[in-house]
């Protein structure tokens, strides 16, 4: 285990990591956002999810190889630092931190809006503040509090998805006679399996790809267990089953129970559309409750992940020294606080900065997932030689051919985004932000080198 990982607590238990690895791939995007992918690609959204899922499986295999051999709370940022260069670790670490910092207020607002609909006398901002402060407080305590919260959040999401699949199966087999449109024939009776062509499927891949962001969190959390390599190996090997059941299983039920061109898919979400078509009573409050738990889970993980990445950056000298401070229970409390403060500043920017500024901030996260995946692939390609003499409990398949193919695919997807009007602002904003961070990394590292040069030597060099 790395030195910085050992400085943190190791109170995350096996059941915490197991449920975190399961729940890490399940966000509110599956319950609601998947409807947009189905509306765009039709039943062929299944293909889009399969492509995205395959990419994530391969990326997790690469990351698992590195994380099992060298567990670290900085995960892929640390590996990029070692395999590509300090500028790469600095850049992807800060971009990843920024992604999760922006997730915090966005998810808090979604949760607060649901609660406001239930308790109309309390304003949205009050709920948003209370939720953020509550989960910040839990993250400041022993890491097992994060694990415990996430265990129950993830368990609820898993139960909800399995119940959804069971209901769908009952409808498809005729046990639920009230199903309006149930049938495998829905996959081709409404204009064909691929009604808008292969281009729409590729566009849906871009939508679905970002719904998997968070799968990699387990490699960060594993560093705070007593047997990180074991947990990384187990989680990496089970990712195929998780994606198959939760994503492909769910989307199959959607496209066989609701017409892909149903208006409700984009307005109320895929899960609620299916429940209403099956005449399940109280479909909306049921889904509101599930989505509330899902976004709280995402917010909880966002705080945890952002703080651990900032802590790792600080340990490497790439972030303010204050962020490396830990409290009596070995929690990086300053990194948690700084991440929460940064999230609140984005909320202030939403109210007081020009709309174009906040729009850029939001758009700047659009392609970060692809950049993270690209860095993981390049790091694994180059780090294999460094790990040659290390114990490697798990290895990437087909090295280096499959790794190179993944790199080419990700670069091609980024290029495609540049030619798609809806995606172009996101990838350009992300690339602009990335360029600024790369420039900052060279400036920071140059200052660090100068600080290490003795004053007398500097004076002599001037003469």
């Amino acid at each position: 285990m790395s030195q910085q990982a050992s400085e943190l607590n190791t109170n995350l238990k096996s059941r915490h990591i197991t449920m975190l690895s399961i729940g890490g791939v399940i966000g509110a995007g599956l319950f609601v956002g998947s409807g947009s992918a189905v509306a765009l690609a039709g039943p062929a959204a299944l293909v889009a999810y399969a492509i995205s899922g395959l990419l994530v499986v391969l990326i997790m295999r690469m990351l698992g190889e590195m994380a099992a051999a060298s567990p670290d709370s900085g995960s892929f940022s640390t590996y990029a630092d070692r395999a590509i260069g300090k500028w790469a670790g600095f850049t992807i670490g800060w971009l990843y931190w920024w992604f999760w910092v922006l997730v915090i207020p966005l998810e808090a607002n979604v949760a607060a809006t649901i609660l406001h609909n239930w308790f109309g006398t309390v304003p949205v901002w009050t709920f948003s503040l209370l939720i953020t402060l509550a989960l910040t407080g839990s993250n400041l305590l022993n890491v097992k509090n994060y694990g415990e919260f996430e265990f129950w959040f993830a368990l609820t999401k898993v139960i909800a998805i399995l119940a959804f699949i069971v209901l769908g199966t009952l409808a498809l087999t005729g046990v639920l006679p009230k199903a309006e449109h149930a049938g495998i024939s829905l996959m081709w009776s409404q204009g064909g399996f691929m009604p808008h062509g292969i281009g729409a499927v590729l566009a849906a891949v871009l939508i679905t790809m970002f719904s998997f962001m968070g799968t990699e969190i387990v490699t960060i959390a594993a560093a705070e267990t007593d047997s990180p390599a074991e947990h990384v190996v187990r989680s990496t090997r089970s990712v195929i089953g998780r994606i198959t059941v939760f994503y492909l299983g769910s989307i199959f039920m959607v496209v066989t129970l609701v017409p892909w061109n149903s208006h409700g898919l984009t307005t109320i979400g895929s899960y609620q559309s299916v429940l209403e078509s099956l005449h399940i009573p109280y479909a909306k409050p049921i889904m509101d409750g599930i989505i509330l738990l899902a976004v709280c889970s995402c917010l909880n993980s966002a705080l945890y992940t952002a703080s651990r990445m900032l802590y790792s950056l600080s340990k490497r000298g790439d972030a303010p020294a204050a962020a490396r401070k830990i409290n009596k229970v070995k929690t990086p409390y300053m990194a948690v606080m700084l991440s929460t403060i940064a999230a609140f500043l984005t909320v202030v920017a939403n109210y007081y900065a020009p709309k174009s500024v906040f729009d850029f901030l939001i758009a700047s996260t659009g392609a970060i997932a692809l950049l993270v995946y690209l860095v993981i692939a390049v790091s694994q390609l180059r780090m294999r030689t460094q790990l040659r003499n290390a114990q490697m409990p798990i290895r990437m398949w087909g090295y280096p051919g499959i790794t190179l193919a993944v790199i080419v695919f990700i670069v091609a997807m980024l290029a495609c985004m540049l030619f798609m009007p809806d995606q172009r602002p996101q990838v350009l904003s992300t690339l602009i932000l990335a360029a600024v961070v790369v420039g900052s990394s060279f400036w920071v590292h140059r200052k660090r080198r100068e600080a290490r040069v003795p004053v007398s030597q500097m004076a002599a060099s001037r003469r």
Side-chain angles (χ1 to χ4, degrees), residues 335-359:
V336 174
M337 294 298 296
L338 290 171
S339 299
T340 302
I341 291 170
F344 278 124
L345 289 177
T346 63
V347 175
V348 173
N350 185 28
Y351 282 99
Y352 296 104
K355 185 177 184 298
S356 58
V357 173
F358 190 71
D359 288 346

Side-chain angles (χ1 to χ4, degrees), residues 116-368:
H116 175 71
N117 291 335
W118 293 351
F119 309 99
T121 57
V122 181
V124 171
W125 71 265
T126 302
F127 279 126
S128 182
L129 178 64
L130 291 175
I131 292 170
T132 304
L133 290 178
L135 292 178
T136 298
S138 73
N139 273 270
L140 288 171
L141 302 175
N142 194 302
V143 69
K144 69 180 180 182
N145 289 278
Y146 162 73
E148 204 63 34
F149 270 99
E150 201 53 38
F151 175 85
W152 293 107
F153 283 146
L155 182 61
T156 303
K157 291 187 290 185
V158 168
I159 292 173
I161 293 175
L162 293 179
F164 179 79
I165 292 175
V166 169
L167 281 174
T169 303
L170 293 176
L172 288 174
T173 54
V175 177
L176 290 181
K178 292 185 178 180
E180 294 178 0
H181 307 286
I184 302 295
S185 61
L186 273 182
M187 295 182 68
W188 57 82
S189 64
Q190 303 292 315
F193 180 72
M194 200 178 292
H196 294 150
I198 189 65
V201 176
L202 293 177
V205 168
L206 295 173
I207 295 175
T208 59
M209 196 176 297
F210 301 111
S211 66
F212 288 102
M213 190 71 164
T215 314
E216 69 290 335
I217 293 176
V218 69
T219 63
I220 296 174
E224 295 184 65
T225 67
D226 54 3
S227 53
E230 177 185 336
H231 291 300
V232 168
V233 171
R234 186 186 305 149
S235 299
T236 301
R237 287 176 175 164
S238 64
V239 71
I240 297 176
R242 288 182 272 132
I243 289 176
T244 301
V245 172
F246 297 127
Y247 275 90
L248 297 184
S250 293
I251 302 305
F252 175 78
M253 291 302 163
V254 172
V255 299
T256 55
L257 294 173
V258 176
W260 68 266
N261 48 9
S262 172
H263 179 67
L265 286 174
T266 55
T267 56
I268 61 177
S270 51
Y271 268 53
Q272 187 174 329
S273 293
V274 169
L275 293 181
E276 289 186 355
S277 74
L278 299 180
H279 300 285
I280 302 298
Y282 308 108
K284 186 180 187 316
I286 289 173
M287 284 312 306
D288 281 348
I290 293 171
I291 293 169
L292 175 63
L293 291 173
V295 296
C296 285
S297 170
C298 189
L299 198 160
N300 191 42
S301 290
L303 279 165
Y304 173 82
T305 309
S307 65
R308 268 38 176 196
M309 186 56 70
L310 185 59
Y311 169 77
S312 177
L313 286 166
S314 179
K315 291 293 292 183
R316 285 176 273 148
D318 290 340
R324 75 187 69 166
K325 293 182 178 179
I326 59 176
N327 57 20
K328 293 180 179 179
V329 292
K330 295 186 177 182
T331 295
Y333 69 99
M334 282 301 297
V336 174
M337 294 298 296
L338 290 171
S339 299
T340 302
I341 291 170
F344 278 124
L345 289 177
T346 63
V347 175
V348 173
N350 185 28
Y351 282 99
Y352 296 104
K355 185 177 184 298
S356 58
V357 173
F358 190 71
D359 288 346
F360 172 81
L361 296 180
I362 297 298
S364 67
T365 65
I368 285 179

Side-chain angles (χ1 to χ4, degrees), residues 383-392 395 399:
M383 200 168 175
R384 172 66 74 87
T385 56
Q386 297 179 18
L387 296 173
R388 187 173 299 161
N389 298 323
Q391 184 178 0
M392 298 177 65
R395 290 174 180 263
Y399 175 88

Side-chain angles (χ1 to χ4, degrees), residues 68-110:
S70 180
D72 194 284
S73 61
S75 189
F76 52 84
S77 173
T78 304
Y79 309 140
D81 189 300
R82 300 173 189 169
I84 305 174
K86 290 190 176 298
W87 67 270
F90 179 102
T91 301
I92 206 64
W94 276 110
L95 288 177
Y96 192 70
W97 175 83
W98 175 242
F99 175 90
W100 289 110
V101 160
L102 271 185
V103 163
I104 295 170
L106 294 177
E107 299 291 353
N109 186 68
V110 173

